[in-house]
Structures are given as C-alpha cells and as structure tokens.
Amino acid sequence: MNYQQILKDIHQAILPYAQEGKQADYIPALARVNPEQFGMCIHTIQGRTFPEGDAFVPFSIQSISKVFSLAACLSFEGDELWRRVSKEPSGTAFNSLIQLEVEKGIPRNPFINAGAIVLADVLLKHLKHPEDDFLRFVRALAGNNRIDYNPEVASSEQACGYLNAAIANLLKYHHNIEGEIERVLHFYFLMCSVEMTCCDLARAFLPFANHQKPFDFDGIRLTASQVKRINAIMQTCGFYDEAGEFSYLVGLPGKSGVGGGIAAIYPKRYAVAVWSPRLNAKGNSVMGIKALELLTTETQESIF
Ligand code: GLN
C-alpha cells in the first residue's frame, strides 16, 4: 500500500474543511494555537513511517493521554480497576457531570474526564514519582526522550478548570478519590498537557496495534489480552458522544483530545495519528476525522 501518496492525496482532499470548527477555547493556552495546521503520520509494525504536513510539530495531546494512563493503571491493578470505573460508552460529553451524579460516583469509562481523574488518583497511589514516572513511560512508548509536559498549558487549564474541579469533588464525595483533590487534579492536568508530534503519537500507539509483541515499557507490562481490551474501550468510548459516528465513519479504535489530535490503530498493521486544532461540537478534530475517514475508505482497511 502506497501510504505516502495516499496521505498526500488526503491532505489535498480535506482542504475544503480547513475553516470548519474552532479550537478549544475553554483552555486559554489552547485558544492561542494557530488553527491553520494539519499533520498526519502512519507508523507500520514493520517500522516504516509515513509523515505528511505538520507531522513533526508538537501539540497538546490532552485526552489522548488517557490511553497511556489506562495502560499504566491496568498494569498495576488488573481487573480490580473496574470496581472504580466502568467500561460502557457514556453517550454524553467528555466533561459531563450528570451521569456521574446518577451513577453515584462511578464514571462510565476511563476515557471521559471523570474516569481519567479516577485514573490519576490510582496512579498517584502506585507511582513513587508520578510526574517523572508517567513521562518516562510515554517517552519509552514513543522512543523519544525529548517528549515533555507543557506546565503553562497545565496551569492555564487548572486556573479555569471549574468543571473538572466539580467532577473531582463529586468523585471524592462518593469516596472514589483517595488522594487530595488539588493533587489529583494537578496530576490530571499535567498528563493532559504532554506535547507530542503526530509521528511520536503514531509510534507510541504502535504497541497497541501489535498484539504479537510483549507490551513492556519502562516497567509497565500488559498481557496481549489487556492490550486487546484497551483497544475495545477505544473503539466504544474513544470519542465520547461521537464514538458511534467515529466507528461508522472510520472503523478503527482510536482516541481524540481537545488539542485537535487523534490517534488510531489498525490492529496488526499500523498506528496513525492526525492533528488539526479546529474541533467540532463534540470536541473532536474536524479535519482529523475527515482524514481518517478517507484513509480507511480509500485503502478499504478497517476492522470491519
Ligand atoms: N484537559 C481536557 C479537559 O479536562 C481534556 C479533554 C479532552 O481532551 N477531551 O477538559
């Protein structure tokens, strides 16, 4: 498959959508990002890389980090984790409070904010130096030691993070947070602030596409079955209340973030990442979804 040419053609084909949507503005630092950017990168399990456009520009991965924190939590807790967070699609926005109240502090899944705030609490319990340890894990996955947090983005979000603070308080009220709320939120925002390029992300997601190889990065180990199940949760919950639409249009497990990034995997073949800051009403990248829809349509490669 000539992925390089396919990505080039996709880039051309999606230009008419370049002005659709707007970047996340509830996080002031993200509102300042130049929205006129588009990058994409495929990394195959044979080790070939196909970059296109702004594939080497770092951006805020935001909720894509939730896949990394889920991987780490599962390696520490195994199925115990599911006592504190479910694995059903929410059908609600990523930052919704309503369901959490009705369901008494058990988040629907690890990929909505409530679920990931519980994951942050779990990681704080297990990691000796949480900030350093999490970063080392992500760097090992991506094979790039220059990957880092952007503390400015994290504090910009924390300063206006009223909704996430409300979620954390509700979780704490229901005894689903053990640590101090301030500490948990600080770590949660920091994990969201990690900056990576499309090529970093494609490489970091490759182990999720590659069941045959053991998953073991900086001491975080998962069985092939656990990796497969993380993919299942990406498929059903990776795009909040647009998970069904993404499945319908693209047909790959994936995860989005409000920085405009999306990472997805084609099991046993490749991982792909795409980035463009303008988001639709559900908080997912407009051009990102369009590009992935074209990729799986043109190549006729999807899990279905
Ligand atoms: N940091 C963002 C938040 O908590 C992450 C949300 C997202 O990427 N969907 O609101």
Side-chain angles (χ1 to χ4, degrees):
M1 195 67 77
N2 188 353
Y3 288 124
Q4 198 67 70
Q5 187 60 45
I6 291 170
L7 294 194
K8 216 167 175 296
D9 294 345
I10 289 174
H11 193 169
Q12 280 305 309
I14 60 170
L15 288 177
Y17 301 90
Q19 301 303 315
E20 256 180 48
K22 65 179 177 73
Q23 70 254 64
D25 52 10
Y26 75 98
I27 302 175
L30 292 187
R32 294 193 287 270
V33 173
N34 169 14
E36 311 290 325
Q37 300 184 83
F38 172 84
M40 193 163 185
C41 186
I42 288 180
H43 203 96
T44 68
I45 67 168
Q46 280 92 15
R48 299 196 62 197
T49 310
F50 302 93
E52 171 61 27
D54 299 313
F56 297 103
V57 178
F59 60 90
S60 196
I61 68 167
Q62 292 296 320
S63 285
I64 301 174
S65 64
K66 293 172 170 117
V67 177
F68 305 141
S69 39
L70 175 61
C73 285
L74 269 181
S75 100
F76 294 128
E77 300 245 316
D79 284 344
E80 277 293 294
L81 181 67
W82 305 122
R83 291 153 70 110
R84 293 180 60 182
V85 51
S86 309
K87 37 186 143 50
E88 291 297 337
S90 67
T92 58
F94 62 87
N95 51 9
S96 171
L97 260 178
I98 299 170
Q99 220 164 34
L100 190 63
E101 182 180 17
V102 176
E103 298 178 0
K104 302 197 168 18
I106 303 295
R108 266 295 170 101
N109 66 66
F111 291 159
I112 51 172
N113 289 10
I117 291 170
V118 170
L119 298 184
D121 186 52
V122 170
L123 290 181
L124 286 174
K125 192 173 80 184
H126 288 280
L127 297 174
K128 223 171 175 177
H129 305 289
E131 281 79 6
D132 293 345
D133 297 345
F134 181 76
L135 197 56
R136 267 207 327 277
F137 171 50
V138 175
R139 286 174 171 176
L141 271 172
N144 179 357
N145 280 331
R146 291 188 311 276
I147 291 169
D148 218 332
Y149 299 115
N150 182 332
E152 204 188 304
V153 171
S155 52
S156 152
E157 178 167 14
Q158 185 137 25
C160 311
Y162 308 113
L163 204 44
N164 283 319
I167 290 171
N169 276 281
L170 195 51
L171 288 165
K172 184 83 177 169
Y173 171 81
H174 286 290
H175 309 289
N176 203 3
I177 283 198
E178 287 174 18
E180 238 181 83
I181 288 178
E182 284 292 302
R183 176 74 184 105
V184 173
L185 281 176
H186 178 266
F187 187 43
Y188 167 77
F189 290 132
L190 204 61
M191 289 192 287
C192 290
S193 82
V194 167
E195 293 189 334
M196 294 170 78
T197 68
C198 285
C199 289
D200 288 331
L201 266 178
R203 173 104 187 262
F205 270 70
L206 204 61
F208 297 95
N210 201 356
H211 294 173
Q212 283 96 330
K213 261 187 126 181
F215 190 108
D216 184 353
F217 296 88
D218 196 55
I220 304 290
R221 287 186 201 94
L222 296 173
T223 64
S225 167
Q226 283 174 315
V227 172
K228 182 187 71 182
R229 287 173 170 169
I230 291 175
N231 295 343
I233 301 172
M234 281 200 253
Q235 186 73 39
T236 50
C237 310
F239 297 81
Y240 324 111
D241 44 346
E242 203 174 18
E245 187 71 8
F246 187 82
S247 241
Y248 176 81
L249 293 175
V250 178
L252 297 177
K255 183 74 203 82
S256 63
V258 289
I262 299 175
I265 57 147
Y266 181 38
K268 303 190 180 79
R269 298 288 183 80
Y270 66 69
V272 57
V274 57
W275 167 61
S276 192
R278 287 201 166 96
L279 310 177
N280 63 21
K282 313 275 185 175
N284 299 318
S285 171
V286 173
M287 282 176 107
I289 291 184
K290 201 72 206 164
L292 290 171
E293 178 192 354
L294 287 175
L295 175 65
T296 55
T297 308
E298 295 300 313
T299 57
Q300 298 187 5
E301 293 179 337
S302 87
I303 66 165
F304 299 107

